Amino acid sequence: MSATLIILAIVVITALAFDFTNGFHDTANAMATSIATGALKPFTAVAISAVLNLVGAFLSVNVAATVAKGIVNLDSYDMSVPADGDALLMVVFTGLIGGISWNLFTWLLGMPSSSSHALFGGLIGAAFAALGTGGVAWSSIVGKIIIPAVASPFIAAMVSACGTALVYWVTNTIPEKVKNEHFRHGQIVTACLVSLAHGTGDAQKTMGVIFLALVAAGEANSDARIPTWVIIACAVAIAAGTMSGGWRVIRTLGKGLVEIESPQGMAAEATSAAIILTSATGGMALSTTHVSTGSILGTGLGRKGAQVRWGVAMRMAAAWLITLPCAAFVGFATWWIAEGVSTVSTTMVGAIVDLVLLLGMVALILMRARRNPVDAKNVNDDWDAEAESVDSSMSPREKVAAGAAVGNSPGAANAVNDVIDDSSTLKDS
């Protein structure tokens, strides 16, 4: 097997790993409100979402074409020259490292950020490192990525707020208990639509990346259709990721942003599904996260007396603003690391060094997440109003340690009481 094919295999596996992180990072977009209102049990929700993500991946390839041909400037590479093909493969690989790194970091914090923009940022940074400004297809990025990214959450919030206000106005004579019960059934339908839409949009982004790698390795023509095996592999990877849960982000969207009721959840999900499916047919690489978060926020604005946690919303917005540059920095840096190794060895050795760095980063983040686990048992626990993210509050063990550190002070007693409260809550859940 040639060095180019080995690098291609590494890139394809890494792309499917990104697709897996996309699945568990973005499960919240479809199912957070249904889990929060009790319309669906946590494991049932992620299982349904996984199946519909799988189905949605087969509905269209318009977004895949945008990713494959609309971010990296393919005219800058001559695919008949092996060195150019290997260089493009390294751009794709290091771009994926940028996307995976940002996905896992924001998942650790329970922060709903865009997997799509993490991927795009990583590719932009790597392409810029390789060829400067000429390596990036700027016009396509502005028209099909930047402008939709800015506009979509505002549009989603506005539509969702209007829908929520209309729902409560029409049903104002119906008893609250009866209303919530009926809307829980409706939520199941709308949540399924969002899952289908997520598969239609997000799985295709990885399809586009793998196709770009195939073009770089000389295994496909840039004008060819996406191979069937790529579509199937990406559909399975995103479905598997969705099935794994992504509970940390589900908790933030379901409990941390807005105290949500069933009518709000149905309005948010219906809005998200309509916007995402419409954009996917037009080939827009829209962020499911931006749309879903905007829709959930809109339900808080549309329901009189609803509690919106603006601190959490502002932290989300800040994460969105830095997603592209942070992922781009990682893509840029890892490309230069691989390039530095390649100058004294080979391109394949540079790829292996970057792969080892990626695996080390993944291990560190997973170890940190184990200190404050979020799963199906505690995903619906009451949100700590002072917590900035699901990883910002101390675990019960840490609270005991903090109390012991101050001896017999009131803080120690409070810490012990907090532990008792936490333990009771988890037992009840």
Side-chain angles (χ1 to χ4, degrees), residues 43-87:
F43 281 119
T44 303
V46 297
I48 292 173
S49 186
V51 171
L52 290 170
N53 266 291
L54 181 69
V55 173
F58 292 92
L59 297 183
S60 168
V61 293
N62 291 337
V63 175
T66 297
V67 175
K69 303 170 186 177
I71 297 177
V72 178
N73 186 3
L74 295 180
D75 293 336
S76 301
Y77 296 90
D78 183 355
M79 294 302 105
S80 63
V81 179
D84 272 18
D86 288 348

Side-chain angles (χ1 to χ4, degrees), residues 301-318:
L301 300 175
R303 176 191 158 210
K304 187 177 180 180
Q307 179 186 3
V308 178
R309 297 188 177 92
W310 290 106
V312 175
M314 291 302 101
R315 283 186 284 276
M316 288 183 190

Side-chain angles (χ1 to χ4, degrees), residues 223-243:
D223 296 323
R225 287 182 56 83
I226 305 289
T228 302
W229 72 265
V230 173
I231 297 173
I232 294 173
C234 291
V236 171
I238 199 168
T242 302
M243 190 66 194

Side-chain angles (χ1 to χ4, degrees), residues 7 93 169 280 393:
I7 297 173
F93 179 50
W169 179 71
S393 57

